[in-house]
């Protein structure tokens, strides 16, 4: 309030001078920068004193301009109506974006005081604000000017694999080389974005777009790639599923014994929950016995729990069994035994 009151105390002197100014739309080298958060309102309030001896007339107006996307645009204009001793205000844009008003506060002797209020919605397209006097010959005298530093958060725009936008999971073939790219909007102040693996190991870093090439084998630890920036309002990640035969993570099952059947459970890794076939094979005394068993999976790929239901009446008392599991990419096996401690 004090700064603007002081500026306005010079108003009558400025009106009486013949000097003019010129400015171009952009950052002001000589002006301070005021930092505001995007989406907030920049509120400016100050007092204007007008006396009977002032040279305010219908030929004088006050204008609020902003520099938006390097273009100068007028947002508000204040015009003194000498006949009615009133201040007329015209808003050139939605009042939700820019609002200007003038309210008469005090009348003391030959002086009137007006409270000028300006409210400007802050967006990253704005770079500076100007408020100035203008007469009928378009000569201008600057009242105040300021740079506007807009603070906003960074965020990931999209995460792609081979140019295709992905979300959460992506299915690839074994040893297929794929290119991961992360595109983001850096904030103000800017931050560094990184591609990280599931252990938070840094794979790539930059303040522009990020790129990474990778290929995966069936026996590898299938990767999760994260793209994130400190303080980013939106980060993205992708988990890779590899088309492979199912892999047993447990060589021996956990077994729950029931009267007529047993339930075997294994932890497995697979790109799909769909199982085409479960087969128990017993090898003893040079002979093989085969038995189709009922299997189901639970969980989310790649980390699944395989449940096998074994009918006791079809089980032989002795011998070691091989469980073979098949999906759309092939089969894998693990050996088990009838004689495992019941859980």
């Amino acid at each position: 309030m004090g700064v603007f009151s002081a500026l306005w105390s010079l108003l009558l002197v400025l009106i009486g001078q013949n000097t003019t100014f010129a400015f171009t739309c952009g950052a002001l080298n000589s002006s301070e920068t005021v930092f505001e958060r995007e989406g907030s309102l920049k509120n400016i309030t100050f007092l204007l004193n007008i006396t009977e001896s002032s040279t305010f007339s219908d030929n004088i107006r006050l204008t609020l301009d902003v520099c938006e996307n390097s273009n100068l645009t007028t947002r508000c204009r204040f015009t003194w109506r000498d006949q009615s001793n009133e201040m007329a205000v015209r808003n050139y844009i939605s009042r939700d974006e820019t609002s200007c008003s003038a309210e008469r506060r005090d009348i003391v002797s030959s002086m009137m005081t007006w409270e000028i209020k300006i409210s400007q919605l802050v967006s990253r397209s704005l770079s500076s604000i100007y408020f100035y006097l203008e007469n009928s010959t378009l000569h201008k005298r600057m009242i105040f000017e300021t740079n506007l530093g807009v603070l906003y958060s960074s965020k990931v725009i999209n995460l792609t694999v081979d140019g295709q936008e992905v979300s959460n999971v992506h299915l690839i073939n074994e040893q297929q080389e794929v290119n991961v790219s992360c595109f983001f909007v850096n904030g103000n102040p800017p931050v560094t974005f990184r591609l990280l693996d599931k252990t938070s190991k840094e794979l790539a870093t930059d303040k522009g777009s990020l790129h990474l090439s990778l290929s995966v084998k069936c026996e590898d630890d299938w990767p999760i790639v994260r793209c994130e920036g400190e303080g980013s309002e939106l980060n993205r990640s992708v988990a890779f599923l590899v088309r492979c035969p199912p892999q047993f993570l447990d060589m021996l099952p956990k077994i729950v014994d029931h009267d007529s059947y047993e339930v075997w459970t294994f932890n497995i890794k697979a790109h799909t929950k769909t199982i085409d076939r479960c087969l128990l094979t017993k090898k003893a005394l040079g002979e093989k016995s085969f038995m189709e068993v009922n299997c189901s999976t639970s969980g989310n790929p790649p980390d699944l729990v395989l449940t096998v239901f074994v009918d006791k009446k079809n089980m032989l008392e002795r011998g070691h069994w091989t469980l073979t599991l098949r999906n759309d990419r092939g089969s894998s096996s693990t050996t088990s035994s009838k004689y495992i401690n019941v859980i």
Side-chain angles (χ1 to χ4, degrees):
M1 178 75 75
V3 173
F4 287 116
S5 296
L7 286 170
W8 279 105
S9 69
L10 299 175
L11 181 60
L12 299 183
V13 177
L14 286 170
I15 294 174
Q17 294 177 347
N18 294 322
T19 57
T20 61
F21 75 97
F23 60 86
T24 57
C25 186
L28 304 165
N29 293 329
S30 60
S31 179
E32 67 172 338
T33 297
V34 177
F35 291 93
E36 300 286 347
R37 177 63 57 179
E38 181 181 30
S40 66
L41 291 175
K42 172 63 177 174
N43 295 312
I44 302 170
T45 302
F46 54 92
L47 298 178
L48 166 64
N49 295 326
I50 300 176
T51 67
E52 290 181 356
S53 60
S54 74
T55 56
F56 250 98
S57 69
D58 292 347
N59 294 327
I60 298 293
R61 59 190 182 187
L62 303 167
T63 301
L64 175 72
D65 283 350
V66 299
C67 186
E68 182 178 26
N69 293 322
S70 300
N71 294 313
L72 197 64
T73 62
T74 297
R75 295 301 177 90
C76 298
R77 187 159 283 151
F78 299 77
T79 306
W80 175 251
R81 301 302 185 193
D82 196 37
Q83 296 296 323
S84 59
N85 286 340
E86 293 292 336
M87 184 75 72
V89 182
R90 181 178 179 183
N91 291 275
Y92 288 87
I93 200 167
S94 168
R95 294 178 69 89
D96 291 335
E97 189 169 343
T98 308
S99 177
C100 298
S101 65
E103 181 180 352
R104 186 182 300 187
R105 305 298 295 172
D106 300 299
I107 302 177
V108 179
S109 161
S110 60
M111 183 175 67
M112 287 182 295
T113 300
W114 292 81
E115 185 177 55
I116 305 296
K117 291 184 178 181
I118 297 170
S119 181
Q120 173 63 52
L121 180 66
V122 177
S123 68
R124 69 187 70 177
S125 60
L126 300 181
S127 58
S128 50
I129 300 175
Y130 311 88
F131 194 69
Y132 57 90
L133 286 166
E134 187 176 42
N135 62 21
S136 59
T137 59
L138 302 182
H139 286 184
K140 300 172 183 177
R141 299 180 180 90
M142 185 66 72
I143 303 303
F144 74 84
E145 58 184 2
T146 186
N147 288 320
L148 190 61
V150 182
L151 305 175
Y152 54 91
S153 299
S154 56
K155 65 178 180 180
V156 176
I157 301 173
N158 58 31
L159 184 63
T160 66
V161 176
D162 291 339
Q164 176 187 350
E165 187 168 2
V166 293
S167 177
N168 299 327
V169 297
H170 187 72
L171 189 61
I172 60 174
N173 295 321
E174 184 182 20
Q175 293 188 300
Q176 172 190 354
E177 184 172 329
V178 295
N179 296 304
V180 182
S181 298
C182 179
F183 303 92
F184 49 88
V185 173
N186 217 324
N188 186 27
V191 300
T192 298
F193 275 78
R194 295 176 173 84
L195 289 179
L196 306 172
D197 67 9
K198 64 174 67 177
T199 66
S200 296
K201 178 183 176 182
E202 188 175 287
L203 305 174
T205 182
D206 204 345
K207 291 188 177 181
S209 58
L210 294 169
H211 305 279
L212 173 70
S213 295
L214 58 84
S215 63
V216 187
K217 296 180 180 179
C218 290
E219 61 269 21
D220 291 342
D221 185 13
W222 297 353
I224 296 175
V225 178
R226 308 197 317 266
C227 181
E228 60 183 52
E230 184 178 355
S232 172
E233 66 181 28
L234 179 63
N235 294 315
R236 298 281 295 275
S237 66
V238 58
F240 287 93
L241 303 179
V242 187
R243 293 183 179 93
C244 296
Q247 300 173 63
F248 284 91
L249 303 180
D250 297 329
M251 299 312 296
L252 297 176
K254 294 179 181 178
I255 299 178
V256 177
D257 187 53
H258 298 273
D259 291 338
S260 61
Y261 65 94
E262 291 180 346
V263 178
W264 298 5
T265 58
F266 297 85
N267 290 307
I268 66 171
K269 181 171 75 171
H271 67 280
T272 175
K273 295 177 69 173
T274 302
I275 298 300
D276 295 337
R277 192 179 188 190
C278 278
L279 186 66
L280 274 176
T281 305
K282 177 178 179 280
K283 185 176 181 180
L285 301 176
E287 297 181 355
K288 287 186 178 181
S289 299
F290 300 92
M291 181 172 62
E292 195 90 28
V293 290
N294 184 22
C295 293
S296 65
T297 57
S298 59
N300 295 311
D303 300 314
L304 301 174
V305 174
L306 174 70
T307 302
V308 184
F309 300 90
V310 182
D311 191 341
K312 284 185 177 181
K313 68 180 181 180
N314 294 324
M315 291 285 293
L316 299 179
E317 292 298 326
R318 298 177 183 276
H320 293 274
W321 292 80
T322 298
L323 175 65
T324 301
L325 187 64
R326 177 179 292 275
N327 65 11
D328 60 342
R329 302 300 287 189
S331 62
S332 61
S333 301
T334 187
T335 58
S336 184
S337 171
K338 179 78 170 68
Y339 302 101
I340 297 178
N341 293 331
V342 175
I343 297 175

